Amino acid sequence: MTSDGQSGGVLMEEFLKHFKDLSRVDERWLCDVFEGVRQQLYPLISPSLSLSVVQLTLAVLSKIQRSVSSDDTSLPLSYRFVSLSELKREQRTACCSSLSWSSAHYREQARRAEQALPNHRALPRDNLLLIGYLCDGRDVGASDGVWRVRDAGESVPCEMLKSSPLWLGRLMLFPTWNYIPQNAPVRGETTAGYLELIGSPVCVTPEPMTFDPGGSLSEVMSVKKAAELLKQRCDVQVQVCVSGQVSVVCPLLVISGKSFFCLILSEGGSSVPVLITEVKHQYWQRCVCVGQSVCISALRVCSLRGWAGHPVLSVTRQSRLHPHVQPQENSEDTDTHAVMDIQTHTPDTHLSSGVASSSAPSVRRKHSTLISYKGVITKILNAEVGLYEIDKKVWLCLAYQPAQKWGGGLRPGAEIQLHNVHFLFRPSPFAADVVLCACLRTSVQIITFSCLSSKVEASGSHSPLQCHLLEKNLGVSQFLWLSYCHNAVKERLCPRWVRPERVCVVTGRLLDCVCDAEQKTHTKRDIYTEMLQEPHKCPITTYCVCWPCVVLWSVKQVSDWMISEVWASLSLSSLLPPAAAHMTSVELNAALSWSVHTVPLAEAVSDPVLLVGILELDSTRATLQLRDQTHTLDCVCVQTDQSGARTSDINTAWLGCLVCVRRCTLVMERFMKTDFPSWKNTDQLSYITHKHCRVYLQLCVNDLIIISPSASMSIRLTVVSSESTERRANQDDSGETFNRRETAKRRREDDGDDDDVSDAPTSKRPLTPCVSVLFRLESKQGVTFRNCSVSGDTHTLQLAFVVRATCLGDVQSWSSDPKNCRIRERERDGARTTMEMHFTDVCVRWFPVLNPGTVYRLIALNTEDVSVLKAESVSVRGGVKLLSSPTLLMLPQWRIHTLTEQLPDTQAADVPSLMTVSEVLHSSSTLDIISFYGVISQRITLQQDKATKPSIPSVTAAKDGNTERDLKVRLTVQDCESAGQIIQVYVDLSCGPYTPGLIAGATVLLHHFQRKVSRVCNVYCRSLPISCVTVTGLGPVNSRLVGCQSCPPMMLLGEWASGRTQQCVVAEVKGHVVCVLSLRLQWTCSLCGSVFKQSSCSRTHPACDSNSAVFQAEAKVVLEDGSAEAQVWFSSDTISDLLMLDAAQWEGLQRHVRVKGLVRVYIRGRNMMCDVDPDDCLVQYLCCLCSSNTVCRQIHLTCRQRTHKTGKSHLRKVCRGLTEFISRFTPALQLHCTHIHTHTHTHCNTHSHTQ
Ligand SMILES: [Zn+2]
Ligand SMILES: [Zn+2]
């Protein structure tokens, strides 16, 4: 035992002598208290008090006993003395402790609080004795105005509801308090936590002295007088004592290390600002509140540098704060009338007060009003930026104030009083209707601490978002949007693509995307004006109403919207062509089996929408995708190059870029298996047996805004910007280039390091040895399932494709990854060789970014072995050496980078130039594997032939279940320049991953297709396993416009037939119907296609029990236009127009035909006749009609050539009136009428039928 211990023992005995009849428990408890006082408190008390340890402990004990609610004199044995260091060290969860509460009181209070906010639990109760000194932080070297409780070992910050300067430096017993530990320690403090002191502390030691006023109170000056004094700008030497009511308490500010705060004293109509700059008076900030009357002594007049021309009162070292000079202590009650009730507040008064003043007329600005408000915090929306919910309906924004340390007691359940807070109505669609926003003039005061436990995030310094707000001088509306955006980015992109500390930078750039700099920037904040000037003016005085209102959709949201829209927008009748009424069941169901619905992003919802995501490649679909953490969506991307032409040449630098999509088209393809017996049943959806959809985006990369470039994009932008600087002498700079240059510049400014977004995980290491080779892609084959050997003899179907490429030089080694940097001289040394590159499995992902004619750099990382990139020509199979080009098998870890530099000597000589549709149609070459381009004008799903080859068990089918089996389509592809040239292309989509984007209006490149000529000499194309379709241009969003844009040319029949010019496939003709060669009207069984008589099908072997039939008709006429004659076929949907029958007549005719099932009349000599029943009145009528002038008339048609067969020209006799003459005719052109124009209409834009 030490001497101290021994003396402690002696003192203890002396202490215990004061008690009689102690039980052992009592004695131990008293010993604990004594030890606590002796160790933690006694060393701190002033020697001037001349108290012994025993006296002090007895004083403490008497205060404890007096504070305990019960009257009996027994010791409060359930309470335990706690030192602050123990509290900080041991107390990991929040707790409360009270000497005065009964258990029933605590339980009732907890129950009520939990009922009000059911998501929170009440603070658990702990019986602890807390005794310590109250100090203002100077004792522990801080001048932050924060009060602290201190004992010999430790000090803990505290919040108080009400504090008096008289308490400072006194030893206090705290009867009731909450302790809130911090989850994460605040920077600079080992452990963190703070006390919420409920109820006034009890002073333990006797008062050492009477209060020193520090100046004579007899010279107290009123506010009115003081205001006059300031106006006179009199001698600044005078020190005055001013008394008045506090009307404004500003938050404590720390500017360049100096802390200060302001308050305004008012009386009547006068007010004086008081500046508290003295460190020793900073704690006053916690002692004064709005409405309180105070007297401050020893004030002097001074002028502020930051607020020139406005003298203020400033405290001196001698100043004292006298809180209760006048008996107006009950300040809160006197003030409550000023508290506004939000519920009774009518928003209209605010709506009308604002006058639009901004340059942008769409953005409405309003003035906010200053109010007082009292409410309960119900939710912490974002502690980091100071957003809270009050009373479950109002938002409180504290972002414009200095950050609250330790959350400032602003926890759910706490009751707060706000003074001089701005009332804003609907500042943002992403906040509550009413937002209370605090500025530097606002005081936030806690009236009741919350008795609920809640997670408290450590703060105390400005969050990056708040810094952004302060730097950019954003308005409230923009800040609320920023906060919304911050949450969205954090949720969807962080941490996978955006590091937590970069979220704010990304958010700031997104804000730049949605508002113009001009609309965003406010005047700079002037703190003195904001705090002191009357009338009040600050950044929150005016605000924008609900702006910006741009909604950020996650990829999942857009995908979900599309999936619901795709079926909501389904209208079967609108999908059907005009001829639907004449279609048999098979034709009808085929027509319904595929359809597409497109919506521009901007039209998807009424609010403007942005998509934010990362562009990445997908290996299972061989597509480019837009991704975030919620979902992925396929994208069909095109690019507009410098000449304005659209290409699919997407630079690899886009991969890994965080982009913002403002403009794109949402494409929804529907696939349905239906069983409709006829078009009349299309309202019965039960005939749909299966349906699924494919949704994807179509976008042009030029429309994308780069929010965070990939490492390669940064390199590219730097190259682009340096090139453009060189070239820019006279050229005018396009906005897009500017945008990119800015992005590149900004990127370099605010990113010391690289790759917040990057595809290459190794890119962080500064030195990565690697080897590379330059190659130019010559041709690319389509992605198909191929039999690949995995290991030994095991073979599986894998996605694969092959490209042919020219190596532009030898393999080079590098000390660090060159990515897509400029081409070095040495890279182009060496012989050029051709090779085949094989891409299998995950390497298939490179498919969308590889384009013929483009130069790429292939990189193998982490190796110095140049041989890995050497193509080998040893494809030996069974001892036979194949005569093929050397082959390089792409490995998953290799990278490919697009190089955009022009290499003068590597112009794509070997790349076969693409043919146009006209060239394909009229080619005389025997080449049957061709590549061409055109615009899709129609897509038809081909009927599945069930008997054909068994389908490949597709790998992707297993993965997404949606894949259409055996999907074969016929695309009608039109020449880009000449609308009359069309070709049918048969594409088998089942042998690889689905190709999105094959919709009407899209420009496509068709590589390696087989050109075929049909028996009737029509040219068509079909896909081969090596074929590859690439979408290079996106059509107009509204597919109905497509037909209009591609108006076929007007042709003379003679010209068309001669074949002198390149023959059109589709053209408009005007001519005279010479005669009807034949007309066939038939009711067809819609199931089997046999003739349908009356109400039954005529098929007998086997019998058909169908009860639905469709009316079909076909006519063949001779048309003549003076230059030549043509035979023109008309089908069901055009015949009523040809015969000039109105709807009723046409209906009647169909009814009559139903009796016989089939009527056919044809020309024999000059008369029409029929083989059966020539005397039937229907036959008579038809014969008569066909030879009448009604039918044989001048007519204007759009026709498609039926056959390209040509024959010899021949002589024929022609009659005109009474004259007969002989003329030489080229063989009759065989045409099919697709549309009859009215005789008055010649313009192609008016597509109305003659009905
Ligand atoms: Zn303000
Ligand atoms: Zn039938």
Side-chain angles (χ1 to χ4, degrees):
M1 272 258 167
T2 61
S3 63
D4 180 52
Q6 275 165 353
S7 72
V10 173
L11 290 170
M12 180 91 76
E13 273 167 34
E14 189 195 328
F15 168 67
L16 290 176
K17 276 180 199 156
H18 290 83
F19 304 91
K20 280 171 232 146
D21 306 330
L22 288 177
S23 70
R24 288 194 63 103
V25 181
D26 291 341
E27 197 180 308
R28 199 179 314 139
W29 186 83
L30 285 168
C31 289
D32 285 347
V33 173
F34 179 79
E35 268 309 299
V37 172
R38 193 178 68 85
Q39 285 176 18
Q40 300 298 335
L41 310 175
Y42 188 67
L44 288 173
I45 66 162
S46 158
S48 66
L49 285 172
S50 61
L51 277 175
S52 70
V53 182
V54 177
Q55 283 170 317
L56 180 64
T57 317
L58 288 172
V60 166
L61 265 182
S62 83
K63 300 291 177 191
I64 290 172
Q65 276 176 313
R66 222 178 291 167
S67 300
V68 175
S69 51
S70 59
D71 295 333
D72 71 77
T73 51
S74 64
L75 300 170
L77 294 179
S78 58
Y79 288 83
R80 187 168 62 85
F81 183 92
V82 67
S83 73
L84 291 169
S85 47
E86 188 190 338
L87 191 67
K88 264 180 123 167
R89 199 175 53 240
E90 308 289 338
Q91 196 65 46
R92 298 281 169 191
T93 53
C95 67
C96 67
S97 176
S98 175
L99 280 168
S100 52
W101 293 346
S102 65
S103 299
H105 174 86
Y106 165 76
R107 275 199 302 271
E108 173 58 19
Q109 179 186 279
R111 191 189 60 79
R112 259 184 295 157
E114 284 178 0
Q115 220 163 32
L117 292 174
N119 293 331
H120 296 271
R121 298 265 70 82
L123 290 171
R125 186 176 182 179
D126 218 344
N127 289 343
L128 298 172
L129 294 173
L130 183 69
I131 303 156
Y133 276 84
L134 266 179
C135 62
D136 71 344
R138 278 178 296 153
D139 301 13
V140 292
S143 60
D144 48 10
V146 174
W147 290 51
R148 285 170 169 79
V149 177
R150 180 175 168 223
D151 63 17
E154 195 56 84
S155 79
V156 175
C158 64
E159 293 281 342
M160 283 176 287
L161 298 180
K162 218 181 273 177
S163 38
S164 160
L166 303 177
W167 296 343
L168 212 62
R170 313 278 299 273
L171 186 61
M172 296 285 194
L173 164 71
F174 303 99
T176 307
W177 46 270
N178 298 334
Y179 178 70
I180 313 293
Q182 302 279 292
N183 296 329
V186 171
R187 221 176 306 146
E189 296 196 21
T190 46
T191 48
Y194 75 97
L195 286 160
E196 290 175 348
L197 303 179
I198 306 160
S200 300
V202 178
C203 191
V204 174
T205 49
E207 305 237 338
M209 48 167 188
T210 49
F211 181 61
D212 163 33
S216 169
L217 285 179
S218 59
E219 297 153 29
V220 170
M221 190 182 261
S222 70
V223 171
K224 198 174 167 193
K225 246 178 147 183
E228 276 165 15
L229 180 76
L230 288 182
K231 256 182 232 156
Q232 290 159 9
R233 299 169 195 216
C234 68
D235 186 5
V236 289
Q237 305 304 322
V238 183
Q239 290 202 345
V240 294
C241 176
V242 180
S243 127
Q245 199 179 40
V246 177
S247 62
V248 171
V249 183
C250 300
L252 194 80
L253 296 180
V254 181
I255 289 173
S256 51
K258 283 192 167 178
S259 60
F260 68 98
F261 79 99
C262 301
L263 50 85
I264 295 177
L265 297 178
S266 309
E267 187 188 86
S270 319
S271 64
V272 282
V274 182
L275 198 63
I276 295 91
T277 46
E278 284 293 331
V279 175
K280 60 182 272 198
H281 301 322
Q282 303 291 292
Y283 71 88
W284 290 4
Q285 213 268 340
R286 305 288 168 128
C287 301
V288 291
C289 58
V290 173
Q292 191 183 16
S293 288
V294 295
C295 176
I296 304 170
S297 61
L299 292 167
R300 64 187 177 86
V301 179
C302 71
S303 59
L304 284 171
R305 208 154 27 130
W307 200 39
H310 297 87
V312 298
L313 293 175
S314 175
V315 294
T316 60
R317 287 190 68 82
Q318 293 75 40
S319 295
R320 292 288 182 275
L321 174 72
H322 310 270
H324 315 298
V325 163
Q326 283 150 337
Q328 272 194 353
E329 215 224 305
N330 229 353
S331 56
E332 274 161 63
D333 297 337
T334 58
D335 191 52
T336 14
H337 68 272
V339 175
M340 262 182 127
D341 185 3
I342 300 295
Q343 268 176 327
T344 59
H345 178 89
T346 50
D348 293 344
T349 56
H350 290 272
L351 285 172
S352 55
S353 61
V355 182
S357 61
S358 168
S359 55
S362 56
V363 180
R364 206 150 50 98
R365 299 190 69 91
K366 280 197 320 196
H367 288 284
S368 61
T369 40
L370 284 179
I371 63 161
S372 297
Y373 187 85
K374 199 186 214 171
V376 176
I377 293 180
T378 44
K379 199 193 271 177
I380 299 178
L381 298 164
N382 186 345
E384 223 183 321
V385 298
L387 279 179
Y388 301 89
E389 183 197 70
I390 320 174
D391 297 340
K392 295 188 176 171
K393 60 179 190 291
V394 174
W395 277 27
L396 170 66
C397 169
L398 299 180
Y400 291 80
Q401 280 207 338
Q404 296 273 341
K405 270 201 171 177
W406 307 286
L410 298 171
R411 298 185 297 115
E415 196 184 3
I416 56 167
Q417 166 103 55
L418 304 164
H419 288 286
N420 300 307
V421 70
H422 290 268
F423 175 97
L424 288 77
F425 190 72
R426 292 197 180 142
S428 171
F430 307 103
D433 276 356
V434 172
V435 176
L436 301 177
C437 191
C439 66
L440 291 182
R441 204 178 168 94
T442 310
S443 45
V444 181
Q445 190 194 352
I446 296 186
I447 304 172
T448 320
F449 287 118
S450 168
C451 60
L452 296 171
S453 70
S454 50
K455 194 173 149 250
V456 177
E457 284 155 38
S459 72
S461 56
H462 286 303
S463 68
L465 198 60
Q466 224 175 337
C467 293
H468 189 85
L469 162 86
L470 299 176
E471 277 164 28
K472 307 273 168 156
N473 296 303
L474 299 181
V476 185
S477 308
Q478 287 92 68
F479 177 71
L480 290 170
W481 189 89
L482 203 65
S483 161
Y484 155 77
C485 175
H486 192 262
N487 285 343
V489 171
K490 221 161 117 183
E491 200 175 281
R492 299 169 195 169
L493 297 162
C494 178
R496 187 162 166 200
W497 290 293
V498 180
R499 292 198 303 269
E501 62 272 25
R502 300 266 308 149
V503 172
C504 190
V505 178
V506 167
T507 317
R509 289 179 189 169
L510 284 170
L511 183 68
D512 291 341
C513 294
V514 300
C515 20
D516 300 337
E518 183 193 353
Q519 289 169 314
K520 204 169 55 185
T521 310
H522 288 253
T523 45
K524 240 186 150 189
R525 283 177 88 173
D526 179 338
I527 52 164
Y528 292 111
T529 311
E530 186 170 331
M531 292 189 292
L532 305 173
Q533 185 152 298
E534 307 277 359
H536 175 60
K537 196 171 169 296
C538 77
I540 316 162
T541 312
T542 60
Y543 64 100
C544 306
V545 182
C546 281
W547 184 88
C549 53
V550 178
V551 181
L552 292 172
W553 264 5
S554 68
V555 178
K556 175 109 178 74
Q557 272 170 303
V558 68
S559 167
D560 286 351
W561 184 87
M562 285 159 88
I563 288 167
S564 67
E565 169 71 11
V566 69
W567 300 118
S569 65
L570 178 65
S571 151
L572 292 179
S573 53
S574 72
L575 295 182
L576 292 171
H582 311 289
M583 284 178 161
T584 63
S585 175
V586 174
E587 292 165 334
L588 183 77
N589 291 315
L592 291 173
S593 66
W594 178 86
S595 56
V596 66
H597 179 57
T598 56
V599 178
L601 178 65
E603 288 169 23
V605 280
S606 55
D607 292 317
V609 182
L610 279 189
L611 297 177
V612 179
I614 302 279
L615 287 179
E616 281 188 357
L617 294 171
D618 182 75
S619 56
T620 56
R621 294 157 174 264
T623 50
L624 196 62
Q625 292 188 327
L626 185 74
R627 295 183 177 173
D628 66 12
Q629 278 165 187
T630 64
H631 204 59
T632 57
L633 257 183
D634 286 343
C635 295
V636 175
C637 290
V638 299
Q639 172 170 323
T640 311
D641 64 17
Q642 280 114 346
S643 62
R646 291 203 148 178
T647 65
S648 60
D649 211 350
I650 307 302
N651 197 303
T652 54
W654 282 101
L655 306 175
C657 283
L658 177 63
V659 294
C660 169
V661 184
R662 268 201 287 204
R663 228 173 324 179
C664 72
T665 308
L666 315 178
V667 186
M668 295 150 266
E669 290 186 20
R670 303 183 196 98
F671 297 86
M672 285 194 288
K673 283 207 170 67
T674 53
D675 230 349
F676 290 106
S678 84
W679 67 280
K680 285 180 190 149
N681 307 92
T682 50
D683 53 339
Q684 289 159 271
L685 298 181
S686 57
Y687 286 109
I688 302 175
T689 56
H690 175 79
K691 60 181 184 181
H692 76 262
C693 63
R694 287 188 171 273
V695 297
Y696 52 90
L697 307 177
Q698 274 189 336
L699 50 90
C700 179
V701 290
N702 306 68
D703 291 339
L704 297 176
I705 300 165
I706 301 171
I707 301 298
S708 207
S710 63
S712 316
M713 184 56 88
S714 302
I715 296 173
R716 184 178 164 224
L717 295 177
T718 319
V719 170
V720 167
S721 74
S722 67
E723 275 174 5
S724 69
T725 326
E726 287 159 20
R727 268 188 282 113
R728 216 175 42 242
N730 294 318
Q731 273 175 358
D732 67 335
D733 196 9
S734 75
E736 198 241 353
T737 327
F738 175 75
N739 180 13
R740 294 193 172 179
R741 209 173 51 243
E742 278 298 294
T743 317
K745 201 176 83 193
R746 210 164 45 183
R747 165 86 186 173
R748 268 171 277 135
E749 279 166 3
D750 59 19
D751 298 8
D753 52 348
D754 63 342
D755 292 317
D756 49 337
V757 173
S758 171
D759 54 338
T762 47
S763 57
K764 285 232 150 158
R765 268 172 273 162
L767 286 178
T768 317
C770 57
V771 292
S772 81
V773 68
L774 285 191
F775 71 89
R776 188 185 60 231
L777 195 75
E778 310 299 352
S779 70
K780 176 171 83 164
Q781 297 182 357
V783 181
T784 51
F785 292 104
R786 280 172 207 195
N787 227 347
C788 301
S789 68
V790 181
S791 58
D793 293 335
T794 338
H795 286 256
T796 54
L797 279 181
Q798 280 186 330
L799 285 178
F801 73 98
V802 175
V803 301
R804 211 158 51 77
T806 305
C807 287
L808 300 177
D810 290 335
V811 180
Q812 302 292 316
S813 56
W814 303 76
S815 58
S816 66
D817 186 357
K819 292 183 188 287
N820 56 336
C821 72
R822 278 169 179 278
I823 297 172
R824 303 280 157 82
E825 267 317 306
R826 63 179 169 113
E827 288 186 87
R828 292 169 56 203
D829 292 343
R832 295 192 174 181
T833 50
T834 24
M835 62 170 177
E836 267 189 8
M837 292 172 75
H838 288 244
F839 294 76
T840 53
D841 203 31
V842 294
C843 297
V844 163
R845 71 182 191 275
W846 295 105
F847 184 79
V849 288
L850 293 176
N851 279 285
T854 308
V855 176
Y856 299 90
R857 181 184 281 133
L858 172 66
I859 297 171
L861 291 168
N862 299 316
T863 181
E864 286 171 271
D865 179 8
V866 292
S867 67
V868 297
L869 294 183
K870 285 248 169 68
E872 290 169 20
S873 52
V874 278
S875 35
V876 182
R877 217 173 271 168
V880 182
K881 194 162 188 180
L882 298 176
L883 288 172
S884 61
S885 304
T887 304
L888 187 63
L889 180 70
M890 180 81 184
L891 294 182
Q893 67 273 22
W894 291 357
R895 300 276 175 271
I896 294 176
H897 290 281
T898 307
L899 301 175
T900 47
E901 282 165 78
Q902 297 291 323
L903 297 178
D905 51 337
T906 59
Q907 283 312 308
D910 305 344
V911 180
S913 62
L914 287 168
M915 297 166 88
T916 63
V917 171
S918 303
E919 284 162 2
V920 174
L921 287 172
H922 308 292
S923 164
S924 54
S925 145
T926 51
L927 198 70
D928 71 338
I929 304 296
I930 52 162
S931 298
F932 64 103
Y933 68 99
V935 179
I936 297 176
S937 61
Q938 196 188 23
R939 166 173 169 172
I940 287 172
T941 305
L942 297 175
Q943 294 162 37
Q944 286 178 20
D945 190 353
K946 288 175 183 107
T948 49
K949 54 161 189 175
S951 63
I952 301 170
S954 124
V955 175
T956 39
K959 276 179 185 158
D960 67 13
N962 269 352
T963 306
E964 308 68 29
R965 290 195 148 199
D966 291 338
L967 183 65
K968 294 185 184 69
V969 300
R970 190 192 78 191
L971 302 175
T972 305
V973 179
Q974 202 171 49
D975 194 287
C976 289
E977 277 81 42
S978 159
Q981 309 288 351
I982 57 166
I983 190 166
Q984 309 289 12
V985 182
Y986 296 85
V987 186
D988 184 351
L989 292 175
S990 66
C991 51
Y994 187 74
T995 311
L998 301 183
I999 60 175
T1003 309
V1004 283
L1005 304 185
L1006 301 138
H1007 284 284
H1008 317 302
F1009 274 68
Q1010 188 177 23
R1011 181 183 187 269
K1012 305 269 279 183
V1013 181
S1014 72
R1015 262 171 301 168
V1016 291
C1017 299
N1018 283 339
V1019 177
Y1020 67 96
C1021 285
R1022 43 169 281 196
S1023 67
L1024 298 168
I1026 58 165
S1027 299
C1028 161
V1029 188
T1030 315
V1031 177
T1032 61
L1034 312 172
V1037 169
N1038 193 335
S1039 54
R1040 267 166 294 164
L1041 292 172
V1042 176
C1044 241
Q1045 283 189 339
S1046 52
C1047 190
M1050 185 66 86
M1051 288 285 266
L1052 284 173
L1053 292 174
E1055 196 184 0
W1056 199 348
S1058 72
R1060 270 195 300 273
T1061 55
Q1062 285 206 332
Q1063 275 174 310
C1064 281
V1065 178
V1066 178
E1068 281 185 39
V1069 289
K1070 276 181 186 167
H1072 192 266
V1073 177
V1074 179
C1075 64
V1076 176
L1077 294 174
S1078 69
L1079 172 67
R1080 179 191 167 95
L1081 305 172
Q1082 179 188 328
W1083 279 93
T1084 309
C1085 169
S1086 87
L1087 295 190
C1088 71
S1090 308
V1091 173
F1092 200 90
K1093 221 181 214 177
Q1094 296 286 34
S1095 59
S1096 61
C1097 177
S1098 63
R1099 196 177 76 171
T1100 48
H1101 297 292
C1104 172
D1105 59 354
S1106 160
N1107 51 13
S1108 68
V1110 287
F1111 185 74
Q1112 293 185 324
E1114 190 186 59
K1116 187 178 167 189
V1117 307
V1118 175
L1119 186 76
E1120 180 262 334
D1121 70 350
S1123 68
E1125 262 186 10
Q1127 290 181 350
V1128 185
W1129 274 256
F1130 292 80
S1131 52
S1132 311
D1133 54 325
T1134 46
I1135 289 202
S1136 61
D1137 287 344
L1138 173 72
L1139 301 179
M1140 298 281 267
L1141 299 175
D1142 65 21
Q1145 290 168 323
W1146 183 233
E1147 282 285 317
L1149 183 64
Q1150 292 183 24
R1151 262 200 313 278
H1152 281 97
V1153 174
R1154 186 115 188 180
V1155 180
K1156 294 165 160 292
L1158 166 71
V1159 178
R1160 183 169 180 269
V1161 293
Y1162 57 91
I1163 199 157
R1164 173 68 48 89
R1166 289 191 170 200
N1167 300 315
M1168 298 296 290
M1169 63 171 295
C1170 179
D1171 290 339
V1172 279
D1173 277 347
D1175 300 328
D1176 182 83
C1177 61
L1178 177 63
V1179 171
Q1180 294 278 318
Y1181 166 71
L1182 288 174
C1183 292
C1184 193
L1185 180 66
C1186 288
S1187 23
S1188 73
N1189 287 338
T1190 322
V1191 173
C1192 300
R1193 66 183 192 272
Q1194 194 66 27
I1195 198 165
H1196 176 191
L1197 308 170
T1198 298
C1199 293
R1200 197 181 65 233
Q1201 206 168 359
R1202 263 173 76 95
T1203 162
H1204 282 81
K1205 210 180 237 171
T1206 47
K1208 287 178 183 161
S1209 57
H1210 61 279
L1211 299 172
R1212 251 183 67 183
K1213 217 188 280 175
V1214 178
C1215 308
R1216 279 285 172 273
L1218 297 171
T1219 331
E1220 265 190 17
F1221 49 92
I1222 291 173
S1223 175
R1224 176 174 290 276
F1225 281 94
T1226 49
L1229 200 57
Q1230 300 203 335
L1231 304 174
H1232 182 95
C1233 170
T1234 55
H1235 183 68
I1236 302 180
H1237 304 258
T1238 54
H1239 33 266
T1240 50
H1241 286 157
T1242 50
H1243 199 264
C1244 66
N1245 276 344
T1246 46
H1247 270 213
S1248 61
H1249 287 255
T1250 44
Q1251 288 293 335

